[in-house]
Amino acid sequence: MPAAATASKPIFQGCGSANTKNMNDHVYKLIELTGTSTTSVEDAVEKAIKRAHRTIKNLCWFQVVETRGAINKGKVDHWQVTIKVGFTVEG
């Protein structure tokens, strides 16, 4: 299967649920978030996921969409990382 076809498929079936029948039994939603950090790309991703976790149930996976940052006096001042986050929709 081409890489483009697999990139949009969820990588965690049922997102860790012990009662998962199979992936066809679920509906997934994707949202886009941008995390920021003065420390690292990873920290920016963690901050975005941690914040989303406070209000969204069943977070499953993420995909980095874009990485950018600001420069100040020749050094990285901060990072901005945009991610797509997938979660199961309860129903």
Side-chain angles (χ1 to χ4, degrees), residues 34-76:
T34 299
T36 62
S37 173
T38 57
T39 308
S40 68
V41 171
E42 291 84 1
D43 189 48
V45 170
E46 289 287 338
K47 286 179 178 181
I49 292 171
K50 184 176 181 179
R51 176 58 187 91
H53 178 70
R54 291 194 301 196
T55 56
I56 301 171
K57 296 180 185 179
N58 304 319
L59 296 176
C60 298
W61 71 92
F62 73 92
Q63 173 185 350
V64 174
V65 176
E66 183 178 17
T67 305
R68 60 188 175 271
I71 301 168
N72 186 11
K73 297 181 183 177
K75 294 184 178 183
V76 174

